[in-house]
Every structure is written in C-alpha cells, then in structure tokens.
Amino acid sequence: MASHSFAVALFFFFLLLDLASLQVLADVVLEDGYTVTTVIDGHKLGINPHSVLPRPRSSDLLVLDSSGSAVYTVPFPIPGSEESVIKRFSGGVEGYSDGEPGSARFKKPRSFAVDPKGNVFVADKGNNVIRKISASGSVSTIAGGYTHSLKPGREDGPAQNATFSPDLELAFVADKCALLVSDRGNQLVRLINLKPEDCARSSPSALGAASIWLLGLGLSCLFGLLLGIVIRPYIIRNTGGPQQARIQRDMEALPNQSGEASTDSLLRHQKRNC
Ligand SMILES: *[C@@H]1O[C@H](CO)[C@@H](O)[C@H](O)[C@H]1NC(C)=O
C-alpha cells in the first residue's frame, strides 16, 4: 500500500515537472516573417567557414577558415551556380609569416574583425598574436610580436610586448578607432588602439570638402585677377580724376601714386596669392 501511494506521488511529481516545462514553452514568442537561406556551402567550396563578415566597400564576404588558416573573399550572393569565384585573400598554409599576400601564414586563427577601410585584424590563436591584413593584402603583426608562441599571458602595454590567452574574440570600434579584445582565457576585455590611418576612410566627403575649398580658392583668385583686368583701363582713363581718390581709398593696402600702378600691383598681388 505504501509503495502504491509512493508511485502516485511520483506520478504527480512528474506531472508537475511537465507542467513546469510547458510553462517555460509558453513564454516562447515565435515571431514570423524571417527566412533562412544558405549563402556559402563550405563542402562545395572546399573551405571551412568559422567566421564571416561583410567586406567594406564591396559586395563580397570575408570568410575566416580557422582549420585551413586562411581568409577568403566570396562574392555575395555567389552568382548562379558558379563555385570557382572564391578567392584566397591571405594564408592557406599553417605557420607564422608576415609580408606580401600569398606568402603570409597563420596558425588556426579563431576570430577576425574588419575596419571601414578594409583592413582585416586576425586573432591568430596558434601564434598568440594579433595580425593585420591591409586592404591590399600585406600582412603584419600588430600585437604580441615579441612574445609570440612563447607564453600566453595577460600583459598590457606596448602592443608588441603584450601577451594574450589563446582564446580571443575581436571587434572593431569605429568611433574609438580601436579593436576590442574579448580575452576569454584571461576573463578580460582589452583594447588595442589603432592608428588614425587605419581608421581614416578615404571618404568622398573629405575629398569633396577639399575640392570645394580648392575650387573656392581658385574662384577667388580668378575673380581678383578679372577684377584687376576689368578696372585697370577704367582707372587708366580716369587717372587724376575724382575716381582715383575713391579707388585709392579702397586700396589702402597698396599705397601707389597712380591708379594704373595700383591695379598693376593689385594684379601682381593676386598672382602672388594664387
Ligand atoms: C618590449 O620587448 C622588447 C624586446 O624583448 C624589449 O627590448 C623592450 O624593452 C620591451 N618593452 C617594454 C616596455 O617592456
């Protein structure tokens, strides 16, 4: 009899557990309207995507293949059924070597970040360093270079002397011009300040501002020259007349005897400035 009531108690216990899990399910909100598609099939492309990022100023994707120690660019979307469009951007052979595109080697990189200029920063796990692949493809070590592979650690300071745990995640922070490093192995979040030239976008707005400034300068020069040419005969004609006094007053900075001399020196002045 006792065992029977125990069984009944057990039944209610599990019933309650079930109700509790139903309660959890009831809190799930299934929001419709989203779609999933596969855009890169690593089996077909012969790569092993570990991380992916959009490549700035391009429609390509950057794909980090950790096991292949390589970074690829892949058009997005891949046109038609073409699979030969994938390009190796850097790496491909395991090792540690900086330099020109093609000769660079990484060792099981685990995370990467990209700045608006197209520089790719790679947490090179196997070498315990942080690397930079410039937009043109040349590779350098920006942090951990002195201590690489020798010892993991948590040393801050000049970046080449810094040490990291092998388990890093990188993020680019545009308004700080910096890399944030989730140093998981050390339970730290760290920051690497980047150089202004790493972050400076060769933006059309900056170019635009410069060309507007140059245009303004050119127009003011031209205007000054034209003004000089236009008023010179007028002044010559009126040399000694009442006009001269007014123009002389207007050209206080050019203390000359005659109007002719004034405009000539005005022209010279303009030409010097332009
Ligand atoms: C960084 O490392 C180099 C090479 O080991 C050393 O010469 C230099 O003194 C170190 N700098 C600092 C600040 O630790």
Side-chain angles (χ1 to χ4, degrees):
M1 194 65 199
S3 77
H4 181 244
S5 62
F6 178 71
V8 169
L10 213 59
F11 171 78
F12 277 108
F13 177 72
F14 280 111
L15 187 68
L16 277 173
L17 263 188
D18 254 22
L19 283 175
S21 63
L22 270 180
Q23 190 57 44
V24 168
L25 263 183
D27 281 343
V28 172
V29 178
L30 301 179
E31 186 179 343
D32 274 332
Y34 298 95
T35 311
V36 178
T37 46
T38 295
V39 294
I40 296 172
D41 183 341
H43 289 287
K44 283 192 198 160
L45 296 181
I47 63 170
N48 202 351
H50 181 79
S51 301
V52 65
L53 287 170
R55 188 181 194 191
R57 301 185 297 154
S58 155
S59 59
D60 291 355
L61 298 175
L62 285 161
V63 177
L64 180 73
D65 181 338
S66 178
S67 55
S69 296
V71 177
Y72 293 93
T73 62
V74 185
F76 175 62
I78 292 178
S81 59
E82 234 183 298
E83 309 288 11
S84 57
V85 285
I86 178 169
K87 287 201 189 79
R88 193 186 307 141
F89 182 49
S90 200
V93 179
E94 200 175 296
Y96 185 19
S97 157
D98 286 326
E100 288 317 298
S103 64
R105 293 178 179 192
F106 302 83
K107 194 171 178 188
K108 302 276 186 280
R110 295 287 289 192
S111 166
F112 70 166
V114 63
D115 72 15
K117 217 175 163 185
N119 297 309
V120 180
F121 300 93
V122 180
D124 191 352
K125 177 184 187 238
N127 292 316
N128 247 301
V129 292
I130 294 173
R131 318 274 296 274
K132 178 174 94 174
I133 313 171
S134 74
S136 64
S138 58
V139 179
S140 58
T141 299
I142 65 161
Y146 285 142
T147 47
H148 75 94
S149 334
L150 302 179
K151 52 173 178 140
R154 50 186 295 165
E155 208 66 46
D156 283 337
Q160 296 297 3
N161 295 62
T163 50
F164 303 90
S165 82
D167 195 2
L168 303 179
E169 175 98 25
L170 301 181
F172 174 75
V173 196
D175 49 355
K176 295 263 185 298
C177 186
L179 276 184
L180 275 178
V181 185
S182 303
D183 189 342
R184 295 178 184 136
N186 286 320
Q187 226 176 315
L188 299 173
V189 174
R190 303 167 73 184
L191 185 133
I192 303 174
N193 64 303
L194 299 174
K195 295 176 186 168
E197 66 257 34
D198 288 327
C199 301
R201 246 186 286 201
S202 49
S203 73
S205 67
L207 271 178
S211 56
I212 284 167
W213 182 75
L214 278 175
L215 189 70
L217 194 69
L219 278 179
S220 76
C221 285
L222 194 66
F223 181 73
L225 283 171
L226 282 177
L227 186 70
I229 290 163
V230 165
I231 66 177
R232 180 156 63 163
Y234 179 74
I235 290 165
I236 291 167
R237 242 182 294 127
N238 290 280
T239 301
Q243 279 291 337
Q244 191 196 349
R246 195 167 67 78
I247 286 164
Q248 285 267 235
R249 246 198 341 273
D250 289 347
M251 297 172 177
E252 273 168 2
L254 305 162
N256 291 300
Q257 298 309 313
S258 70
E260 189 179 357
S262 286
T263 47
D264 277 350
S265 63
L266 173 68
L267 275 172
R268 271 202 303 280
H269 183 69
Q270 278 292 342
K271 277 174 188 154
R272 236 194 351 265
N273 278 351
C274 292

